[in-house]
Amino acid sequence: MAHGIAGPLAFLSAAASAGWTVPNQTSAISFCAEWLLTWQNPDLHTWPPHITGDELDDEQPAIAPGRRDAWCYGSPGISRALHLAAQALQDRRFLTVADSSLAALANRPGGRWDTHGSTLCHGYSGVLQSTATSGSTAHDIAAAATQAAFDPRHAFAFQHQHAGSSTNDPGLLTGAAGVALALAEHGKIPSPTVPTSWDAVLLLS
């Protein structure tokens, strides 16, 4: 979602559903969504975290390490983009692929997900927010894992984990603010009515 074609796909799809379109937008949405379907691993229901030029030429992705289960590179973000594409185009094929990917994620314990910590970009709360409207069991797993990371001894209660180290970060993408927003929405904490949800910045709504 954050680094690949799923980001533009989500943007174009959400805009189309909101009534904002330009010539060829529908074709672009269809092309991007079909491309993602082509590159999904049919056995694991995941996507490669990145694809090189050589892999494009060979039409074969390498088995590369990466965050296949996180919002930023993995199935939750890509699945949300496909959900938005399905809504924009009224094409249930994209919805079916997205749901199968989330089901495969839910079938693995959260401790075996290729995520890192509790934060939005790389961690459990990113999965939590990506799956908020999906009805997937992965949403409940992510909620439990995010809550379990709470520790009042830390400066902001949730720490950012990266490269084997933990830091106190109050920020949105890699810090406690993003975790708090995801948990607040999950817990249905009352908030003022606003025209656009906060997670629009992540292309999730």
Side-chain angles (χ1 to χ4, degrees):
M1 172 72 93
H3 303 282
I5 198 63
L9 172 62
F11 171 75
L12 293 172
S13 299
S17 293
W20 296 96
T21 60
V22 296
N24 298 319
Q25 184 169 335
T26 300
S27 297
I29 294 170
S30 179
F31 179 86
C32 293
E34 295 283 0
W35 190 87
L36 285 170
L37 264 58
T38 299
W39 285 91
Q40 187 192 40
N41 183 311
D43 298 320
L44 301 176
H45 300 283
T46 61
W47 285 267
H50 54 77
I51 298 171
T52 67
D54 288 339
E55 290 163 8
L56 282 173
D57 290 340
D58 296 338
E59 298 184 354
Q60 181 64 45
I63 301 175
R67 302 193 191 284
R68 295 170 187 261
D69 298 332
W71 162 79
C72 53
Y73 284 95
S75 298
I78 294 172
S79 294
R80 181 56 184 154
L82 288 172
H83 274 144
L84 292 170
Q87 180 180 351
L89 300 180
Q90 295 300 299
D91 190 330
R92 290 196 58 83
R93 290 180 306 127
F94 304 137
L95 189 64
T96 298
V97 170
D99 287 346
S100 68
S101 178
L102 294 178
L105 179 65
N107 283 335
R108 301 199 310 277
R112 291 177 52 200
W113 288 357
D114 184 16
T115 51
H116 207 167
S118 61
T119 54
L120 280 175
C121 193
H122 307 306
Y124 289 120
S125 61
V127 180
L128 176 64
Q129 197 62 30
S130 298
T131 58
T133 61
S134 68
S136 170
T137 306
H139 182 73
D140 299 324
I141 297 172
T146 304
Q147 293 170 49
F150 174 81
D151 189 336
R153 294 173 298 178
H154 301 315
F156 307 112
F158 295 94
Q159 287 191 310
H160 172 52
Q161 297 179 15
H162 179 68
S165 64
S166 299
T167 56
N168 294 313
D169 183 347
L172 176 69
L173 279 180
T174 59
V179 180
L181 284 168
L183 285 175
E185 185 159 327
H186 175 68
K188 296 180 172 56
I189 294 177
S191 62
T193 300
V194 294
T196 304
S197 173
W198 69 270
D199 65 356
V201 72
L202 305 178
L203 296 173
L204 292 176
S205 62

